């Protein structure tokens, strides 16, 4: 979206600052409904007394990937507060995801929030949404492409920067050889993570592609790799479920490799506490879902937009390890970290 040049002087907006914009004056009523497509049950923040909106959240979630449960929970909390009907849909196939966005356009929704794991495949349909005067914001994947596609705002982390931070952390640990496990080929955000690690890590990085929709296959592939190459001293996973599986592979293969990962869930915080996972890079997916939906309410009702239309709202990266995991575990157990 074209914005005045005065916004270009601004640095990337951090999520802590953005959160200050989220307080609403609302009447005290709760959002009902237990249907999957509706907003969250049990939200206690109250509902805004603004006209009902309909917003579509369309992601590249693969079946069984629980990371997206956290994103969706944040989105549902914002929808419940903002008097929004939230329609959630997902498909890891980029063409199918584009079709889901087209479905949202056909339903004449008031706003669309999308992930851009494979941005080229979504370019045309985003253009159609803009032509229909439907505001579109991005979240999670696509920090390098959201402006090119003309999205209004973006909420997430810079995956390259996150990867670079992890690479530096490997240097501090004395690691020499790492394998970076990609669970979805062609996902630009995952590729950027591994590329970032390789950029700053002084050792050797090898990429290992696995089928993230088949966890037994993930386990056997990582186990075989560790059995074949005893020089690997770190496995870098790109999602919490894959890190937990990698820890099993380390044990079964007899490897002495350590495991680090991107992203959290409640089981992973326990693994960090026990020492089977060294650390995680947290991008706060709950916040991504929350801010994306809330931003569309703010734009519709107040004309507000974050980042000046030029800069992303950053929700990460932040490290979680034994030194701070206890403070995070409480919120991971509730599904908000």
């Amino acid at each position: 979206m074209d914005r005045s040049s005065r916004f270009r002087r601004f640095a990337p907006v951090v999520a802590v600052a953005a959160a200050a914009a989220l307080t609403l004056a609302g009447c005290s009523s709760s959002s009902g409904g237990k249907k999957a497509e509706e907003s969250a049950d049990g939200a206690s923040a109250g509902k805004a007394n603004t006209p009902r909106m309909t917003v579509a959240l369309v992601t590249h979630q693969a079946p069984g990937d629980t990371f997206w449960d956290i994103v969706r929970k944040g989105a549902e909390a914002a929808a419940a507060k903002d008097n929004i009907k939230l329609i959630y849909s997902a498909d890891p196939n980029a063409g199918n995801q584009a079709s889901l966005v087209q479905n949202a356009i056909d339903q004449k929704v008031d706003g669309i929030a999308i992930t851009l794991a494979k941005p080229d495949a979504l370019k045309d349909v985003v253009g159609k949404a803009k032509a229909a005067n439907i505001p579109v914001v991005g979240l999670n994947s696509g920090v390098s492409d959201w402006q090119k596609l003309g999205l209004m705002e973006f909420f997430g982390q810079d995956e390259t920067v996150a990867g670079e931070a992890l690479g530096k952390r490997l240097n501090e640990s004395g690691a020499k050889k790492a394998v970076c496990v990609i669970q979805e080929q062609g996902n630009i955000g995952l590729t950027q993570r591994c590329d970032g690690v390789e950029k700053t890590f002084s050792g050797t990085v090898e990429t290992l592609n696995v089928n993230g929709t088949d966890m037994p296959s993930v386990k056997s592939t990582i186990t075989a790799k560790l059995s074949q190459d005893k020089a690997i001293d770190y496995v870098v996973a790109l999602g919490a479920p894959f890190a937990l599986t990698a820890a099993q592979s380390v044990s079964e293969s007899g490897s002495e490799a350590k495991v680090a990962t991107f992203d959290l869930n409640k089981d992973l915080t326990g693994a960090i506490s026990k020492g089977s996972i060294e650390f995680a890079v947290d991008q706060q997916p709950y916040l991504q879902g929350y801010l994306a939906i809330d931003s569309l309410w703010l734009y519709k009702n107040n004309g507000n937009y974050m980042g000046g239309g030029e800069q992303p709202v950053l929700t990460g990266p932040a490290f979680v390890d034994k030194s701070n995991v206890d403070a995070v575990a409480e919120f991971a157990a509730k599904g908000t970290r």
Side-chain angles (χ1 to χ4, degrees), residues 18 64 66 110 115 181 210 225 230 245 256-257 263 271 278 284 288 290 305-306 316 321-322:
T66 56
D110 298 295
T115 60
V181 182
V210 298
K225 184 64 179 177
K230 297 298 184 181
T245 297
E256 296 183 0
D263 302 334
E278 293 297 306
Q284 299 189 96
Q288 293 172 7
Y290 188 101
Y305 50 89
M306 297 177 231
D321 56 23
K322 274 192 174 182

Side-chain angles (χ1 to χ4, degrees), residues 51-121:
R52 182 77 160 166
M53 291 175 60
T54 299
V55 171
L57 171 58
V58 186
T59 77
H60 62 279
Q61 176 181 3
D65 188 345
T66 56
F67 170 87
W68 295 99
D69 295 343
I70 305 174
V71 174
R72 187 170 173 180
K73 190 169 185 177
E76 289 174 338
K81 178 174 65 68
D82 292 341
N83 192 23
I84 288 173
K85 176 183 178 182
L86 181 68
I87 303 171
Y88 181 83
S89 59
D91 200 298
N93 179 283
N96 293 342
Q97 187 189 8
S99 295
L100 292 173
V101 177
Q102 183 61 58
N103 290 343
I105 297 170
D106 295 340
Q107 293 179 60
K108 296 181 171 57
V109 298
D110 298 295
I112 300 174
I114 60 172
T115 60
L116 299 174
K118 298 168 184 174
D120 290 344

Side-chain angles (χ1 to χ4, degrees), residues 232-278:
I232 296 171
D233 52 13
Y234 249 97
V235 178
V236 177
L238 305 184
F242 310 102
L244 295 167
T245 297
Q248 296 175 13
S249 294
V250 168
S251 177
E252 291 187 8
S253 66
S255 171
E256 296 183 0
K258 296 179 180 179
V259 179
T261 189
F262 292 82
D263 302 334
L264 284 172
N265 62 24
K266 62 181 180 180
D267 294 326
L268 193 88
T269 56
I272 291 174
S273 296
K274 295 175 182 177
S276 57
I277 306 290
E278 293 297 306

Side-chain angles (χ1 to χ4, degrees), residues 12-262:
V13 181
V14 296
V16 172
L22 300 179
T23 302
L24 297 177
C27 59
S28 58
S29 62
S30 60
S31 174
K34 294 184 178 181
K35 295 181 180 179
E37 73 274 15
E38 297 288 345
S39 48
D41 335 344
S44 59
K47 184 186 293 183
N49 58 0
T50 49
R52 182 77 160 166
M53 291 175 60
T54 299
V55 171
L57 171 58
V58 186
T59 77
H60 62 279
Q61 176 181 3
D65 188 345
T66 56
F67 170 87
W68 295 99
D69 295 343
I70 305 174
V71 174
R72 187 170 173 180
K73 190 169 185 177
E76 289 174 338
K81 178 174 65 68
D82 292 341
N83 192 23
I84 288 173
K85 176 183 178 182
L86 181 68
I87 303 171
Y88 181 83
S89 59
D91 200 298
N93 179 283
N96 293 342
Q97 187 189 8
S99 295
L100 292 173
V101 177
Q102 183 61 58
N103 290 343
I105 297 170
D106 295 340
Q107 293 179 60
K108 296 181 171 57
V109 298
D110 298 295
I112 300 174
I114 60 172
T115 60
L116 299 174
K118 298 168 184 174
D120 290 344
L122 295 168
K123 180 178 179 180
D124 290 344
V125 77
V126 168
K128 291 177 181 179
K130 292 172 62 181
N133 294 317
I134 299 173
V136 184
V137 301
L139 69 154
N140 182 261
S141 296
V143 70
S144 301
D145 297 276
W146 67 279
Q147 285 180 292
K148 299 174 189 174
L149 271 63
L151 272 61
M152 186 172 67
E153 300 163 279
F154 181 85
F155 305 92
Q157 73 179 1
D158 186 316
E159 302 293 9
T160 300
V161 171
E164 291 173 357
L166 193 148
K168 292 176 182 177
R169 184 75 175 245
L170 294 183
N171 290 336
E172 295 171 2
S173 73
K176 301 299 182 185
K177 185 172 184 178
V179 60
C180 193
V181 182
I182 296 181
Q183 72 267 19
E184 182 186 342
Q185 294 187 53
N187 183 320
I188 189 170
L190 300 183
T191 301
Q192 288 171 340
R193 288 178 175 183
C194 289
D195 288 347
V197 172
E198 187 171 8
K199 183 176 179 180
T200 56
F201 180 42
S202 58
T204 302
V205 179
E206 184 175 343
T207 298
L208 179 66
N209 290 298
V210 298
N211 179 3
T213 63
D214 183 353
M215 201 59 78
S217 173
V218 172
K219 182 179 177 181
S220 63
T221 302
I222 298 174
T223 300
K225 184 64 179 177
L226 293 174
S227 298
Q228 294 165 5
D229 191 348
K230 297 298 184 181
I232 296 171
D233 52 13
Y234 249 97
V235 178
V236 177
L238 305 184
F242 310 102
L244 295 167
T245 297
Q248 296 175 13
S249 294
V250 168
S251 177
E252 291 187 8
S253 66
S255 171
E256 296 183 0
K258 296 179 180 179
V259 179
T261 189
F262 292 82

